[in-house]
Amino acid sequence: MEELEAYADIGLSYCSYEVENFTDITFGDIDDCPDLPISPSDGVLYRCFPSSIIGEASKLINTEWFKKALADIKSSWREICYLCAISIGLAIVMMVVLRFFAGVVIWFMVVFFIMGSIGGSGYLWYQWFLRKRDLDEIPVEEQLDSDKQNVKTMLIYASVTSGVTVILLLLLFVMRKRIALVVALFKESGKAIGAIPLLLLQPFWTFLALAILTCYWIGVFLYLTTSGEPVAQEDGRVEYQQEKIIEYMWWYHLFGLFWGSQFMIACQQFVIASAISIWFFTRDKSTLGWPILRSVGRVLRYHLGSIAFGSLLIALVMFARFVLGYIQSKLKGSQNELLKYILKCLQCCLWCFEKVLKFINRNAYIEIAIHGYSFCKAAKEAFAVLISNALRVAAINSVGDFLLFLGKVAVAASVVVIGLEFLQDDPDVNYYAVPIALAAIFALLISHIFLSVYEMAIDTLFLCFCEDCKANDGIVKPYYMSKDLMKFVENAAKARAALEKRERVVLT
C-alpha cells in the first residue's frame, strides 16, 4: 500500500486514475488497483515492462553499451544514409566490373588456386622431410613413439594433399573450356542487363510485394489470435475462448504465407528469365522494344498456373519443414533420443529436397520463358538439359557463384573502409562499429539484390545457349548466339564463317 501511495505522489499510478484516497480501495483485475504483490518490472526505452516477459532481453537493452549504440545511430544517421547511397553505386560499379573484367578475375582465381594447391603440397612434403631428417639423426633406441607418429602423420597429410591436388588439376584441365564459357556468359549477362537496365528494379518490386503480403499476414494473424467466443466466468469476468477451427485457420494462414511469398519470388524469376530470353533470341537488338512489359504480359496471360504450381511445391516442402520444427520444439524435454534423431534426419532431407526443388523450378521457369511449356514439361526439359551439360553446370555453379559471392563481399568491405574514414574521428560517436555494421548489412543486401539479377541472367543465357545449340546448326539454321558464345559450339569455325558470309551479304 505504501508503495502505491508513493508512486501516486510522483505521478505514477498502478491503480485507476480515479483513485485519490487509498484508505478505501479494492484490489483485483477489474477493481481499483491490481492484485498485490505487484510483479517486478524493468524499464525498456523509458517504458515499464514486466520482468517475466522481458527476461534476459531487458539486461541487454538497459546496458550502457546499448544506450550508447542507439545514440551513435541517432548522431550518425546522415553518414549511414551516405554509406547506403555509396553501396548502391558500388553495386552498380561491381556489375560493370564483372562485365568487363570477369575473365581476368576468374582466371586469376584459377591460377591462384593452382599455385596455392601446389605450394601447399610442397610445403607439407618439405615439413615431412625436415621431421624425417631430424628423426633419422636420433639413434633408433632413443626415438620416441610420438616423433615417429608425427612423421607418419605428416607423410599421410602430404600424400593426401598431393592426391587431391592432382585430381583438382586434372579437373581444371578438363573444365578449362567450361570455365571460359563462364567468362563469356558473364560478359553476355552484362550486355543483356545493359540493354534492359530496368531489370535491376525487379527485386525492389518483389520486396514491396512481399512487404505488403507480410503486413496483411500479420494483420490477419492478429485477428485470428484475438478472436473467440465470450464465456462468462464465476467471478464475473468474461474470457474469450478460441474455437477449434481457429487453430486450423492459423495453419492454413501460415501455408498461405509460404505459398504467396514463393509465388512472388517465382514471378520475379520468370520476368527476368523472359526478358533475357527475348533479348537473346532477338537478332536485331535495336528492335528489342519493351521486354519487361512483354514478360509481365506473358505471366498474366499464359503462365500464372505454371508459376503457382511450381511455388506450391516449394511451399509444401517449407510447410512440412515448419511442422517438423514445431514437433521438435515440443519434444525438447523428451528423453526419446531416437525420435529426435529421426526428426533431425527428416529435417535435413527436406532441406536438401527444398534446395534441389528450387534449383529445378528456377530452370523450369527459364524453359517456360523460352518455349512456353507447361510446368511439368518445362521441369523435365530443364533437367534433361542440365544433365547433358553437367560439367558446364558445375563450372557455372562453382566458379560463377563464387565470383558473385566475392562481388558481394567486395561491396560490403568497401563500404566498411569508407565508413571508417567517415566516422573514426567523429567525437559524437562512441562505437563507430555500430553505424558501419548497419551500412555494411545494407550493402550486402543491395549487392545481393543486384547480383541476384545477374545470376538469373547467367542461368537464363546458359539455357538459351543450350537450346540454341540443340535447335540450330549455325549453317543452314543460323545461331542466335553472339560470336563470343559461338566459340564454344562444336562446329564453331563453320558457324562463324557462315555468320560472316551472311553479314557481308546484308552489307552489300
Side-chain angles (χ1 to χ4, degrees):
M1 181 71 69
E2 291 78 8
E3 293 181 3
L4 294 176
E5 292 183 11
Y7 276 112
D9 291 338
I10 62 174
L12 299 175
S13 180
Y14 283 103
C15 302
S16 172
Y17 290 109
E18 288 77 15
V19 173
E20 296 181 358
N21 186 3
F22 284 86
T23 59
D24 185 19
I25 58 175
T26 56
F27 293 92
D29 292 338
I30 59 175
D31 293 312
D32 299 324
C33 298
D35 289 326
L36 297 178
I38 300 172
S39 59
S41 60
D42 290 308
V44 178
L45 301 178
Y46 307 105
R47 297 291 185 273
C48 289
F49 289 88
S51 300
S52 59
I53 296 177
I54 301 301
E56 295 296 323
S58 63
K59 298 179 181 178
L60 172 64
I61 294 174
N62 287 310
T63 58
E64 193 67 23
W65 179 90
F66 187 80
K67 294 177 180 178
K68 287 184 177 180
L70 289 179
D72 291 341
I73 295 173
K74 181 180 179 181
S75 61
S76 60
W77 67 269
R78 289 185 180 85
E79 287 79 5
I80 294 175
C81 292
Y82 294 154
L83 291 173
C84 292
I86 290 172
S87 66
I88 296 175
L90 288 175
I92 296 174
V93 170
M94 181 56 62
M95 297 186 68
V96 176
V97 170
L98 289 176
R99 174 181 175 180
F100 293 102
F101 300 103
V104 176
V105 176
I106 289 175
W107 289 116
F108 175 79
M109 287 167 44
V110 171
V111 172
F112 180 80
F113 179 78
I114 292 173
M115 299 301 294
S117 300
I118 296 175
S121 300
Y123 175 78
L124 290 176
W125 280 112
Y126 179 67
Q127 290 296 319
W128 170 80
F129 170 75
L130 293 179
R131 284 172 168 75
K132 185 69 169 58
R133 185 188 62 184
D134 294 341
L135 184 65
D136 292 340
E137 292 176 354
I138 303 174
V140 176
E141 61 275 4
E142 297 180 8
Q143 293 179 357
L144 299 176
D145 291 338
S146 59
D147 293 336
K148 294 179 181 179
Q149 187 62 37
N150 288 336
V151 172
K152 184 178 180 180
T153 301
M154 189 58 64
L155 177 62
I156 294 174
Y157 285 164
S159 301
V160 171
T161 305
S162 300
V164 172
T165 299
V166 171
I167 294 173
L168 291 175
L169 291 178
L170 290 175
L171 284 175
L172 287 174
F173 178 78
V174 172
M175 295 181 65
R176 65 191 187 281
K177 290 187 177 180
R178 281 85 179 179
I179 296 174
L181 175 61
V182 174
V183 175
L185 288 174
F186 267 90
K187 293 179 180 179
E188 290 296 305
S189 298
K191 294 179 184 177
I193 295 175
I196 319 172
L198 291 180
L199 278 179
L200 297 176
L201 296 179
Q202 300 311 304
F204 293 100
W205 303 128
T206 304
F207 177 79
L208 179 61
L210 288 173
I212 294 173
L213 174 65
T214 303
C215 292
Y216 163 78
W217 188 86
I218 292 174
V220 175
F221 172 75
L222 292 176
Y223 274 109
L224 290 175
T225 305
T226 56
S227 63
E229 290 293 328
V231 178
Q233 304 296 315
E234 295 179 356
D235 56 2
R237 292 182 299 155
V238 175
E239 290 185 357
Y240 283 85
Q241 296 181 355
Q242 283 190 343
E243 298 181 5
K244 195 68 177 176
I245 192 173
I246 297 298
E247 298 181 9
Y248 299 121
M249 285 294 294
W250 189 91
W251 290 102
Y252 172 79
H253 189 50
L254 177 66
F255 179 75
L257 175 66
F258 290 149
W259 192 2
S261 60
Q262 291 304 311
F263 177 80
M264 293 174 182
I265 293 172
C267 286
Q268 173 193 304
Q269 292 175 342
F270 178 86
V271 169
I272 296 174
S274 180
I276 296 294
S277 63
I278 290 173
W279 176 86
F280 183 90
F281 289 107
T282 301
R283 297 192 187 277
D284 186 2
K285 308 301 184 188
S286 62
T287 61
L288 194 60
W290 300 90
I292 296 179
L293 292 179
R294 290 169 61 186
S295 301
V296 174
R298 287 181 177 181
V299 172
L300 298 177
R301 186 174 181 183
Y302 300 110
H303 303 301
L304 278 178
S306 297
I307 293 175
F309 182 72
S311 56
L312 172 64
L313 297 178
I314 297 177
L316 287 171
V317 179
M318 294 175 67
F319 187 74
R321 288 187 60 202
F322 185 89
V323 172
L324 279 179
Y326 177 77
I327 296 174
Q328 285 178 302
S329 67
K330 292 295 183 182
L331 294 176
K332 277 187 177 179
S334 174
Q335 302 298 322
N336 194 334
E337 297 297 329
L338 177 61
L339 181 58
K340 291 181 180 179
Y341 177 77
I342 293 174
L343 288 175
K344 289 180 180 178
C345 291
L346 289 174
Q347 190 75 266
C348 179
C349 292
L350 283 176
W351 180 84
C352 295
F353 182 63
E354 180 183 337
K355 294 297 181 183
V356 173
L357 194 60
K358 285 183 177 179
F359 179 74
I360 294 176
N361 278 18
R362 180 189 184 93
N363 289 279
Y365 298 144
I366 298 173
E367 286 289 333
I368 294 172
I370 296 173
H371 296 290
Y373 293 148
S374 63
F375 177 82
C376 293
K377 185 176 181 180
K380 176 184 175 182
E381 291 294 327
F383 186 75
V385 171
L386 295 174
I387 290 297
S388 60
N389 295 273
L391 290 179
R392 289 172 172 173
V393 173
I396 293 172
N397 289 339
S398 56
V399 178
D401 288 354
F402 183 69
L403 183 59
L404 292 173
F405 171 75
L406 288 181
K408 298 172 187 177
V409 173
V411 172
S414 301
V415 169
V416 169
V417 173
I418 297 172
L420 286 173
E421 293 297 323
F422 275 5
L423 298 170
Q424 63 181 351
D425 296 326
D426 192 338
D428 296 330
V429 177
N430 299 290
Y431 308 109
Y432 54 80
V434 174
I436 290 176
L438 290 177
I441 293 172
F442 181 83
L444 274 176
L445 177 63
I446 286 296
S447 59
H448 173 73
I449 288 174
F450 282 177
L451 294 180
S452 65
V453 177
Y454 212 99
E455 183 180 7
M456 190 68 191
I458 291 173
D459 292 341
T460 303
L461 287 173
F462 173 68
L463 281 184
C464 289
F465 168 79
C466 295
E467 293 293 339
D468 196 13
C469 293
K470 185 168 66 174
N472 304 303
D473 57 9
I475 302 173
V476 179
K477 297 180 179 179
Y479 290 127
Y480 286 92
M481 68 185 72
S482 65
K483 292 181 180 179
D484 292 333
L485 290 177
M486 210 174 289
K487 293 185 285 188
F488 302 98
V489 298
E490 293 181 358
N491 58 340
K494 294 180 179 179
R496 287 173 67 88
L499 176 61
E500 292 172 357
K501 182 179 179 180
R502 285 192 296 271
E503 289 177 346
R504 287 195 298 269
V505 171
V506 172
L507 291 175
T508 56

